[in-house]
Amino acid sequence: MPIYLPELPDDPAAPFPDPRTALREPDGLLAMGGDLSPARLLTAYASGIFPWYSEGQPLLWWSPDPRTVFRTNAVHLSRRFLRDLRRSTWTVTADTAFRRVIDACAQTPRAGQPGTWITPAMREAYHALHALGFAHSIEVWDGATLVGGLYGVAIGRMFFGESMFSAAPGGSKTALAALAHQLDLRGWPLIDAQIENAHLVSLGAESWPRDRFLDVARALAAEPGEPGHWRDRFGRLAARSLAGGGDKTTATAIPIGRAT
């Protein structure tokens, strides 16, 4: 039986279909078409929707059920990782190397994934959001070497994670810890992790019914935000300061169910 999939109109400000009408199989597929303009992307994220497609496919939009999330004050880090973090000489910054981070996320090989959904068009779309102050990167440095990072979209008081990478063991976890710490300090309680996987669950990710996620995420996205680059607000953070004193820390979190 053919599957009917709504096609988005040309107007980038047009509303999306109700996410509750998304397909059950494949889970969360909602619509196709449109474009990756900043206006369209901001409307999508604020509505609990994200783009995900591969080179050669039409542009596809998703809102899965359930939705994977992190509470910024309740992400688990293992004792071993915390011990390593306390000895670390790495530093962490924000919005100092956005292009390098998104390129690394696209180019890093991932088990079971022959390619990447971070196509050249996707990269340029998020560069445009970054220039407008809505897309952000977290960078982890060993001296002058970039060893890990992540990027995502911030609207209101809601962070929507997109992808992360490690060029050295623990690089992406450190980026996550730093992001969650900063968001928790600002009173941002939630990070969208999109789709569940074992790695995210090991860090404390929770699975929420889509209706619950939509209610909370939309309310947070509608609150007054902080558009603009985070470089000066974030500063340069010593990675070891994120370790805390136990086997759990509020200095952790993050998403990216599509890339672990």
Side-chain angles (χ1 to χ4, degrees):
M1 179 181 296
I3 295 175
Y4 170 72
L5 196 61
E7 187 166 359
L8 298 180
D10 292 337
D11 180 5
F16 281 80
D18 185 340
R20 295 172 180 85
T21 66
L23 298 179
R24 298 303 308 174
E25 182 61 38
D27 179 32
L29 182 56
L30 177 66
M32 63 182 292
D35 57 27
L36 292 170
S37 65
R40 181 98 63 180
L41 285 171
L42 292 174
T43 297
Y45 282 104
S47 303
I49 300 162
F50 58 86
W52 182 20
Y53 70 106
S54 298
E55 194 74 60
Q57 290 183 329
L59 178 50
L60 302 175
W61 302 89
W62 303 75
S63 186
D65 184 17
R67 192 70 163 246
T68 302
V69 300
F70 282 97
R71 300 175 189 266
T72 57
N73 66 351
V75 177
H76 177 75
L77 295 177
S78 70
R79 288 188 175 90
R80 179 177 179 180
F81 180 74
L82 289 170
R83 286 197 300 270
D84 292 343
L85 199 57
R86 292 186 187 104
R87 296 192 295 266
S88 176
T89 60
W90 292 351
T91 58
V92 189
T93 59
D95 287 344
T96 66
F98 185 88
R99 187 173 292 272
R100 289 178 63 185
V101 168
I102 195 171
D103 286 351
C105 288
Q107 295 164 6
T108 299
R110 303 181 192 280
Q113 296 184 16
T116 179
W117 73 92
I118 310 174
T119 64
M122 289 277 273
R123 295 189 215 184
E124 292 309 312
Y126 289 96
H127 293 325
L129 276 186
H130 176 64
L132 293 172
F134 290 101
H136 303 282
S137 60
I138 305 296
E139 305 95 18
V140 182
W141 304 94
D142 183 0
T145 301
L146 186 64
V147 295
L150 64 86
Y151 75 96
V153 176
I155 304 175
R157 287 200 302 127
M158 182 70 198
F159 191 90
F160 301 90
E162 270 299 308
S163 190
M164 56 186 173
F165 81 98
S166 288
S172 62
K173 285 185 182 180
T174 302
L176 302 187
L179 173 66
H181 175 62
Q182 291 293 314
L183 294 181
D184 189 40
L185 288 177
R186 296 180 190 180
W188 296 35
L190 202 67
I191 297 171
D192 176 25
Q194 299 178 345
I195 299 170
E196 180 180 293
N197 62 46
H199 177 64
L200 299 180
V201 171
S202 74
L203 292 173
E206 302 176 13
S207 184
W208 284 14
R210 181 171 55 211
D211 285 355
R212 180 186 180 191
F213 170 80
L214 292 175
D215 287 345
V216 174
R218 286 171 171 175
L220 289 170
E223 294 189 15
E226 305 174 17
H229 289 176
W230 288 357
R231 179 172 182 166
D232 293 336
R233 301 174 198 175
F234 196 99
R236 183 172 290 272
L237 189 66
R240 62 178 176 272
S241 69
L242 302 168
D247 66 349
K248 285 199 173 185
T249 178
T250 59
T252 321
I254 195 79
I256 302 122
R258 292 176 283 159
T260 57

